[in-house]
């Protein structure tokens, strides 16, 4: 099947084009690597680090007890064999993120032109959301890369080029990385159906479905684990996808306590993105099919996630990271189509000026999840006669990254282990808190209470109420 769209791979001198693309990729590298260890390790990252310290089968077992598929953890274990620093643990996610930036630049340049590819890649390189998860020991950069790659491969297949088998393989890998891949495959099914109907050739849709079903058999063993995960592990911290959530996610200048100036700047930035994307869609002629492809990719997946989140408790903001690429490609194409050079300069000034300022604010501000600071304090102040109570138990793993923890400690849940379901336990009762604190007071002189997100297991604050000591360390997120 062949479509009507132009390629722009020769729209600029090869050397200058490669040089400008390289500059964007180097910017992405600098943004992600320069502050890779600035933020402290937090609970989910500590889970990843602790889990890959076990054997290969235990990694799969621990993943099954949690809520995610195992591929990222297996790749991380392969990468970190022998033990690594925090920088090296996070380096892997940064590398996946940089690869996605390079992929967006290359594909945008080939399909739309050099300007569109550079703008889309630079927006992605400076995106606070993309950068945040590129600096985290979690799977979101990997699943974003895989979903983006599979959709780009599908575009090639739609236009009669090779890549169907590779697209299906990447889809399976995405499924084994994060469950959000179901929306990527769902929107691919919509795209295949639309373009098959448009060209009156249903062989493409049949081949795509047949190939994905065949390779999907490799995912069948995990389906039984997925069923148990979804029925036993309730994501009480998740909620529905709302318009307000979308604004907070896609507007780079809207933290929780946003100022009036920040809110205005965010509206301006979002408005500029929306206008450029709509302008590109309106002006699409020779590139109508790629624009329609990106439009369906972005809005089809977004609507699917919105619809499902109204009935299933799964949505958190980081799941939208893989939709930044199609959005920024639409914005880049719209900017490229602007008729005036001055209009392009003004649009670039708004887009990159506000985005860079938001990224700078994010990268220069420590959040309150300072496990590194707590570890240093405990290392300096605790004695052999003290005991530390960690609530929740995952906090002990965060501290362990920065400290040898050569002091007595207790966790809640008791005997917390990443090989079991770590976020499922009974709530702390008054009787349990009394018994626990009393037993600690009998053996130790000082009790240190370290609490990150304490109300998850102790909504009544019973541990804090029952610890009567001058040494209490409490940090909440």
């Amino acid at each position: 099947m062949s479509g009507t769209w132009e390629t722009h791979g020769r729209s600029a001198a090869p050397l200058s084009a490669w040089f400008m693309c390289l500059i964007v990729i180097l910017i992405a590298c600098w943004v992600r690597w320069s502050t890779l260890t600035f933020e402290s390790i937090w609970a989910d990252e500590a889970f990843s680090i602790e889990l890959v310290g076990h054997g290969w089968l235990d990694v799969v077992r621990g993943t099954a007890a949690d809520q995610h598929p195992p591929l990222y953890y297996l790749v991380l274990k392969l990468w970190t064999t022998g033990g690594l620093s925090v920088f090296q643990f996070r380096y892997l996610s940064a590398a996946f993120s940089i690869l996605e930036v390079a992929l967006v630049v290359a594909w945008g340049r080939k399909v739309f032109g050099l300007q569109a590819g550079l703008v889309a890649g630079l927006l992605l390189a400076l995106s606070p959301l993309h950068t945040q998860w590129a600096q985290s020991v979690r799977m979101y950069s990997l699943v974003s890369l895989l979903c983006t790659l599979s959709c780009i491969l599908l575009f090639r297949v739609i236009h009669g080029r090779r890549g169907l088998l590779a697209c299906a393989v990447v889809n399976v890998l995405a499924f084994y990385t994060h469950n959000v891949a179901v929306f990527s495959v769902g929107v691919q099914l919509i795209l295949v159906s639309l373009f098959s109907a448009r060209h009156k050739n249903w062989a493409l849709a049949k081949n795509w479905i047949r190939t994905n079903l065949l390779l999907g058999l490799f995912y069948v063993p995990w389906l039984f684990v997925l069923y148990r995960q979804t029925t036993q592990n309730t994501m009480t911290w998740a909620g529905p996808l709302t318009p307000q959530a979308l604004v907070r996610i896609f507007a780079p200048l809207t933290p929780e306590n946003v100022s009036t100036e920040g809110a205005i700047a965010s509206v301006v930035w979002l408005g500029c993105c929306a206008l450029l994307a709509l302008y590109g869609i309106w002006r699409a002629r020779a590139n109508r099919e790629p624009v329609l492809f990106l439009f369906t990719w972005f809005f089809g997946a977004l609507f699917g996630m919105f619809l499902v989140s109204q009935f299933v408790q799964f949505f958190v903001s980081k799941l939208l990271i893989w939709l930044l690429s199609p959005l920024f490609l639409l914005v880049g194409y719209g900017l490229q189509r602007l008729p005036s050079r001055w209009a392009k300069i003004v649009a670039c000034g708004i887009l990159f000026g506000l985005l860079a300022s938001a990224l700078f604010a994010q990268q220069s501000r420590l959040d309150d999840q300072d496990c590194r600071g707590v570890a240093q304090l405990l290392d300096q102040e605790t004695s052999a006669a003290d005991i530390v109570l960690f609530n929740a138990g995952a906090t002990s793993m965060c501290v362990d990254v920065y400290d040898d923890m050569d002091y007595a400690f207790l966790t809640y849940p008791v005997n917390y282990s990443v090989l079991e379901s770590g976020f499922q336990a009974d709530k702390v009762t008054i009787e349990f808190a009394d018994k626990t604190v009393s037993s600690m007071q009998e053996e130790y002189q000082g009790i240190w209470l370290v609490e990150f997100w304490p109300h998850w297991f102790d909504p009544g604050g019973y541990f804090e109420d029952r610890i009567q000591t001058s040494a209490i360390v409490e940090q909440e997120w």
Side-chain angles (χ1 to χ4, degrees):
M1 180 186 303
S2 61
T4 57
W5 57 282
E6 296 179 354
T7 60
H8 298 262
R10 299 178 181 176
S11 60
L15 184 60
S16 61
W18 278 107
F19 178 75
M20 286 184 283
C21 293
L22 180 61
I23 291 297
V24 172
I25 295 170
L26 290 176
I27 290 173
C29 294
W30 179 78
V31 166
R32 283 148 180 77
W33 289 339
S34 62
T35 56
L36 201 55
T37 60
F38 180 70
E39 285 284 3
S40 169
I41 289 288
W42 62 293
D44 285 8
E45 288 184 288
F47 175 91
S48 301
I49 295 172
E50 175 72 16
L51 182 60
V52 299
H54 292 77
W56 292 94
L57 291 179
D58 282 338
V59 169
V60 177
R61 173 189 164 197
T63 307
D66 190 49
Q67 54 183 316
H68 298 302
L71 180 61
Y72 170 77
Y73 299 108
L74 295 173
V75 174
L76 184 64
K77 180 172 178 58
L78 183 64
W79 168 254
T80 59
T81 300
L84 295 172
S85 65
V86 172
F87 180 92
Q88 292 166 308
F89 271 109
R90 287 176 170 169
Y91 181 94
L92 191 62
S93 293
F96 292 140
S97 175
I98 293 165
L99 284 174
E100 185 176 357
V101 172
L103 181 64
V104 167
V105 171
W107 190 74
R109 174 178 174 268
K110 181 177 180 62
V111 175
F112 295 120
L114 181 61
Q115 284 186 9
L118 292 176
V119 169
L122 191 55
L123 286 171
L124 196 62
L126 298 178
S127 166
L129 178 64
H130 208 264
T131 302
Q132 177 185 357
W133 295 105
Q135 297 178 327
S136 182
V137 193
R138 300 297 289 163
M139 71 289 297
Y140 301 103
S141 287
L142 176 57
V143 74
S144 181
L145 171 64
L146 292 173
C147 289
T148 299
L149 176 59
S150 66
C151 287
I152 289 176
L153 287 171
L154 176 66
F155 182 81
R156 288 176 51 85
V157 173
I158 285 174
H159 292 91
R161 302 178 183 183
R162 296 179 180 179
L164 179 59
L165 181 60
C167 178
V169 170
V170 174
N171 282 334
V172 174
L173 294 177
F175 266 108
Y176 267 112
T177 303
H178 197 284
N179 299 327
V180 74
V182 67
F183 295 101
S184 175
V185 174
V187 80
Q188 287 180 40
L189 178 59
I190 295 173
L191 285 164
V192 166
S193 301
L194 286 176
F195 281 87
S196 294
R198 177 181 174 86
H199 295 283
K200 298 180 180 179
N201 185 347
W202 290 97
L204 169 67
K206 293 178 181 178
N207 290 335
W208 182 90
I209 293 172
R210 186 184 302 116
T211 305
N212 277 272
L213 285 177
L214 182 63
L215 288 181
L217 294 175
F218 288 99
Y219 185 73
V220 169
W222 193 258
L223 283 176
F224 301 99
V225 179
L226 177 63
Y227 175 78
R228 187 179 60 80
Q229 288 176 327
T230 54
T231 55
Q232 294 184 6
N233 299 338
T234 304
M235 298 174 60
T236 57
W237 58 87
L241 174 56
T242 63
Q244 294 82 359
L246 283 177
V247 171
R248 288 198 303 271
I249 294 164
F250 288 116
L253 302 171
T254 53
E256 293 297 325
N257 299 315
V258 65
S259 63
T260 302
E261 295 80 5
I264 294 173
S266 293
V267 171
V268 171
W269 190 86
L270 277 176
C272 185
C273 284
L275 288 175
L276 286 172
L278 292 174
Y279 183 76
I281 294 170
W282 176 57
R283 289 295 304 273
R285 292 185 181 134
N287 288 303
R288 183 165 299 176
E289 287 204 355
V291 170
L292 176 62
F293 184 91
L294 290 174
F295 179 87
T296 308
W297 175 1
F298 179 77
F299 287 101
L302 193 64
F303 179 75
M305 296 178 74
F306 168 79
L307 193 63
V308 174
S309 71
Q310 308 306 309
F311 304 97
V312 181
Q313 198 168 358
F314 82 95
F315 178 76
V316 286
S317 61
K318 53 199 171 189
L319 298 185
L320 289 180
I321 183 176
W322 69 285
L323 293 183
L324 292 177
S325 290
L327 173 63
F328 290 156
L329 282 164
L330 284 172
V331 172
Y333 178 67
L335 189 145
Q336 179 178 275
R337 296 289 294 177
L338 289 176
S340 165
R341 175 178 295 183
W342 284 106
K344 293 180 180 180
I345 292 174
V346 171
C348 284
I350 294 173
L351 286 176
F352 296 114
L354 294 179
L355 197 62
S357 64
L359 180 66
F360 175 79
Q362 180 202 65
Q363 296 293 296
S364 59
R365 182 184 64 247
L366 280 171
D367 62 23
D368 58 0
Q369 304 176 28
D370 189 17
C371 290
R372 178 170 46 205
V374 172
Q376 293 172 351
L377 180 61
L378 291 175
D379 182 58
Q380 295 169 2
E381 301 294 335
T382 55
S383 68
D386 295 342
I387 186 172
V388 181
L389 173 60
F390 291 101
N391 175 37
T395 310
S396 63
M397 298 188 304
C398 302
V399 173
D400 186 45
V401 173
Y402 299 103
D403 185 20
D404 292 335
M405 296 180 64
D406 52 354
Y407 44 75
F409 68 91
L410 184 67
T411 65
Y412 189 85
V414 180
N415 299 324
Y416 171 83
S417 171
V418 295
L419 302 183
E420 306 296 337
S421 183
F423 55 90
Q424 300 292 332
D426 295 331
K427 302 297 183 183
V428 176
T429 63
I430 296 178
E431 295 76 16
F432 181 85
D434 280 335
K435 180 180 178 181
T436 301
V437 174
S438 296
S439 64
M440 289 190 295
Q441 288 174 333
E442 291 176 359
E443 295 187 52
Y444 301 95
Q445 294 180 4
I447 303 174
W448 294 71
L449 176 63
V450 180
E451 293 192 308
F452 285 75
W453 210 356
H455 303 301
W456 181 264
F457 293 119
D458 187 15
Y462 299 131
F463 279 140
E464 182 181 354
D465 291 342
R466 264 93 189 137
I467 294 180
Q468 302 298 324
T469 172
S470 60
I472 297 179
V473 180
E474 182 178 352
Q475 180 76 24
E476 296 185 13
W477 72 52

